[in-house]
Amino acid sequence: MTSGSSPFTTLGVGLDLTGAIALVSAAFWLLPRRNRYGAAGLSIIFALLMTGLCRLTEAASLASASPVADLLPSLAESGRNLAWLLVVYRFFASDGRHASLSPIRSVIFSLAFVEMLHLVVDYGFSRLVLAGEVVATGFEVGVMLRLLITVGGLVLAHNLYAGAPRESRSSLRWPAVGLAVLWAFDLNLYTIAYLAGTWPGELAALRGLTTTALAACIVLGAVGDRVDFRLRPSRAVTFQTFSLLVIGVYLIAMVAVAQWLSYAGGDFARLVELVFLTMGSAGALVILPSRRVRGWLKVMLAKHFFQHRYDYREEWLRFTRTIGSDQSIPLGERAVRSMADIFDCSSGLLLAPGDGGEMTLAGRWNWPQIDVPGVAMPLSAVSYFERTGYIADLDDIRAGRVTGCEVPSWLLEDARAWALIPLVHFDRLVGMVVLTRPQVARGSTGKTWTFCG
């Protein structure tokens, strides 16, 4: 997709040639220093050369109006994008752990498939003689595919840096910045192309600047000794990436369906388009902020993308932050909230040993409705939990699937009560936490809990 003759042709050719020279020079400079980027070194050199080739074909096509000259820059850009996706994959694979790559691999493969699909679309429309409306449709489809790739590339660049440990971020900062500049410019370029319905030659003439900046970032990132790249994408980063992808897919789907409806023509089609956009936007505003939806997404991501159900370091830090928060709040209430946050529960109770060893109410959080008797749990029931440290699923006890533990009737009669967690310290039961049912249950009961403090 080129602009043909325009007042910006000379500027575009000059910037493209400058960018190509900078990229090729950076590739040859990096060749003896490729180990500074670890396993991604050779991939970066290949991507730099492919990007330089892309700039050269763009410069050559500005002086030509033939269909072949228009196709070559598109082919070169596809090769460039695939090469940089390979670089991103090599960065993520640098620690060799396939479990941590599972959410990234699918994204990269999907973007590669979209890029190959764009090649097919571009080649097909360049070989066929079609009517003007069909050509416009092909242009819009091609631009939308490019938008998918740029959005995905920006998400990966963000995840590449944000998911790295602190000691590796200095090595990844400049490559991530370079890729962000490259794909952010393309995002604006293709967005304007889609809205205008034509190729913005004046803006496209400045693409050479982004590739020059990319070459500079790669060189800056390779200067000096670099530490080993070991990436550990956190759960928070994975959830944010997945959320951004869902939002991106939703927006593109909305635009695609609206565009398809507009092709039908007529007042009725316009009415249907307006109704669809209104209902879709309203549905997004209702569903996306939902705490239940967010909880379900977190559980699904933890279940399918991570070996462990919880990020124990993050949960412990959150636990200690809550315990040490506002001192004006009673300690018992803070303790309940600390436990409830782990399981995404909205309220709970804290039971503590009384003078005779029986459990009594010591604190409550967001649960004023439940009526707790003076003796919340008799001494006869306490010994079992002190001996076993068993976390009781009250639904299993109600259904008769668990025997051997005695649970007070006031807990079983309240359907909101979900889990009973004993706090065992040096083989002594120092307390019990009762939690209400979370939005999405994780099945965390049936284990033991040892309280350290």
Side-chain angles (χ1 to χ4, degrees):
M1 288 178 276
T2 62
S3 58
S5 299
S6 74
F8 287 83
T9 297
T10 303
L11 175 63
V13 170
L15 292 177
D16 284 336
L17 291 176
T18 302
I21 294 172
L23 289 161
V24 173
S25 301
F28 281 102
W29 178 87
L30 185 61
L31 186 61
R33 304 169 178 85
R34 59 186 180 275
N35 289 334
R36 295 180 181 178
Y37 278 117
L42 289 176
S43 301
I44 292 177
I45 294 173
F46 174 71
L48 288 171
L49 294 176
M50 286 299 302
T51 309
L53 177 62
C54 179
R55 292 296 92 220
L56 288 175
T57 56
E58 181 69 26
S61 70
L62 286 174
S64 176
S66 67
V68 175
D70 285 342
L71 181 61
L72 286 177
S74 181
L75 293 174
E77 185 173 345
S78 295
R80 180 206 75 175
N81 288 336
L82 291 172
W84 285 114
L85 288 176
L86 175 62
V87 170
V88 173
Y89 181 85
R90 295 300 298 167
F91 274 135
F92 276 109
S94 60
D95 63 354
R97 296 187 304 161
H98 296 289
S100 63
L101 279 174
S102 55
I104 301 298
R105 187 185 298 111
S106 57
V107 174
I108 293 178
F109 287 170
S110 298
L111 293 176
F113 172 78
V114 172
E115 191 63 73
M116 298 303 296
L117 181 62
H118 181 272
L119 281 175
V120 174
V121 171
D122 245 18
Y123 182 80
F125 278 92
S126 68
R127 292 295 180 179
L128 299 176
V129 179
L130 302 171
E133 293 184 358
V134 179
V135 172
T137 302
F139 175 82
E140 291 179 354
V141 171
V143 169
M144 287 185 64
L145 293 176
R146 289 284 196 220
L147 279 173
L148 271 174
I149 296 163
T150 55
V151 170
L154 285 172
V155 171
L156 288 173
H158 168 267
N159 205 6
L160 177 64
Y161 179 76
R166 188 178 301 275
E167 63 271 15
S168 298
R169 287 189 177 183
S170 60
S171 301
L172 292 173
R173 181 180 299 115
W174 289 111
V177 168
L179 290 174
V181 169
L182 180 71
W183 278 319
F185 184 89
D186 284 355
L187 177 63
N188 289 278
L189 176 67
Y190 285 111
T191 300
I192 294 174
Y194 181 82
L195 296 175
T198 185
W199 186 246
E202 294 81 2
L203 184 61
L206 303 177
R207 296 182 88 184
L209 290 176
T210 63
T211 51
T212 302
L214 174 63
C217 288
I218 294 298
V219 171
L220 287 173
V223 172
D225 295 331
R226 297 297 166 188
V227 297
D228 184 35
F229 300 104
R230 298 186 61 82
L231 300 181
R232 305 174 185 89
S234 66
R235 293 165 185 262
V237 170
T238 302
F239 180 70
Q240 292 169 6
T241 301
F242 185 78
S243 300
L244 288 173
L245 287 175
V246 170
I247 293 172
V249 170
Y250 168 78
L251 292 175
I252 292 173
M254 291 280 287
V255 172
V257 174
Q259 192 66 38
W260 174 77
L261 288 172
S262 67
Y263 291 149
D267 295 337
F268 179 74
R270 293 292 182 185
L271 178 60
V272 173
E273 179 180 353
L274 178 61
V275 172
F276 173 80
L277 290 174
T278 303
M279 294 183 63
S281 300
L285 291 174
V286 172
I287 294 174
L288 291 180
S290 170
R291 182 178 177 181
R292 185 177 183 86
V293 173
R294 294 197 305 269
W296 179 82
L297 286 176
K298 289 181 180 179
V299 172
M300 289 300 103
L301 289 175
K303 179 179 179 181
H304 296 289
F305 291 151
F306 295 97
Q307 180 180 2
H308 301 290
R309 182 174 296 165
Y310 298 98
D311 185 341
Y312 294 100
R313 175 182 176 275
E314 181 62 31
E315 295 296 345
W316 176 251
L317 290 175
R318 183 167 63 166
F319 182 91
T320 56
R321 282 196 302 268
T322 305
I323 286 289
S325 62
D326 190 357
Q327 300 296 317
S328 62
I329 301 175
L331 178 60
E333 183 176 338
R334 282 180 276 147
V336 175
R337 182 178 178 182
S338 299
M339 296 290 295
D341 285 344
I342 298 175
F343 304 102
D344 292 329
C345 300
S346 59
S347 53
L349 304 172
L350 175 64
L351 308 180
D355 295 336
E358 73 284 355
M359 288 291 163
T360 60
L361 180 64
R364 68 170 79 211
W365 176 64
N366 283 348
W367 201 357
Q369 304 88 353
I370 189 169
D371 186 17
V372 183
V375 178
M377 181 174 290
L379 186 60
S380 59
V382 171
S383 59
Y384 173 82
F385 292 99
E386 184 174 57
R387 186 177 67 257
T388 63
Y390 183 75
I391 301 177
D393 186 331
L394 298 180
D395 287 337
D396 287 343
I397 296 175
R398 293 185 184 104
R401 290 190 291 266
V402 176
T403 59
C405 62
E406 180 184 347
V407 177
S409 59
W410 64 271
L411 272 179
L412 298 178
E413 291 170 357
D414 194 321
R416 292 167 297 179
W418 171 62
L420 185 60
I421 304 174
L423 306 178
V424 180
H425 181 53
F426 290 117
D427 298 327
R428 288 186 62 250
L429 188 66
V430 297
M432 301 190 78
V433 174
V434 182
L435 297 179
T436 57
R437 200 177 308 277
Q439 293 286 345
V440 180
R442 301 177 182 229
S444 302
T445 52
K447 307 281 183 73
T448 59
W449 182 280
T450 301
F451 177 72
C452 300

